[in-house]
Amino acid sequence: MRQGRTLRQVSADARVSLGYISEIERGQKEASSELLASICSALDVPLSEILSEVSDAVALEEAALAMQLDSVRVDATSLRPARTEAGRPGDVVASAA
């Protein structure tokens, strides 16, 4: 879009069918590394730039997920029964023979 080109033009330059490149654009198909390289070449965009942007996005998602998991762990810890003088929760305190 920034280049003012149509999907048809990019598809022709990348030598990828219009239907397939459209499915990739909509997230219905995943492109192989060779296909990504061909599309990047057609767009005159370095593949490394695209991979770097994706890597940054994945890192942000992983950090957000880690923060959510840490929050859940803290919540779960606060739900544990308190220790008693007899010992840990679930310890056998007395037994009848």
Side-chain angles (χ1 to χ4, degrees):
M1 289 175 65
R2 283 184 249 149
Q3 295 178 2
R5 299 171 64 195
T6 65
L7 196 57
R8 184 176 306 281
Q9 291 169 322
V10 174
S11 133
D13 289 346
R15 297 182 181 189
V16 178
S17 77
L18 179 60
Y20 196 75
I21 205 167
S22 178
E23 288 178 313
I24 293 168
E25 184 182 43
R26 291 187 312 244
Q28 295 175 333
K29 298 277 183 182
E30 291 192 20
S32 67
S33 56
E34 293 85 4
L35 190 57
L36 284 174
S38 180
I39 294 168
C40 285
S41 178
L43 292 170
D44 197 30
V45 175
L47 179 59
S48 60
E49 183 179 317
I50 300 301
L51 295 177
S52 178
E53 289 178 19
V54 170
S55 176
D56 291 346
V58 169
L60 287 173
E61 288 292 325
E62 288 174 340
L65 180 59
M67 288 175 53
Q68 287 177 337
L69 290 175
D70 286 345
S71 175
V72 168
R73 286 185 190 120
V74 168
D75 289 347
T77 301
S78 66
L79 295 176
R80 289 187 186 147
R83 290 184 178 225
T84 64
E85 289 181 27
R88 297 186 314 253
D91 281 353
V92 175
V93 178
S95 177

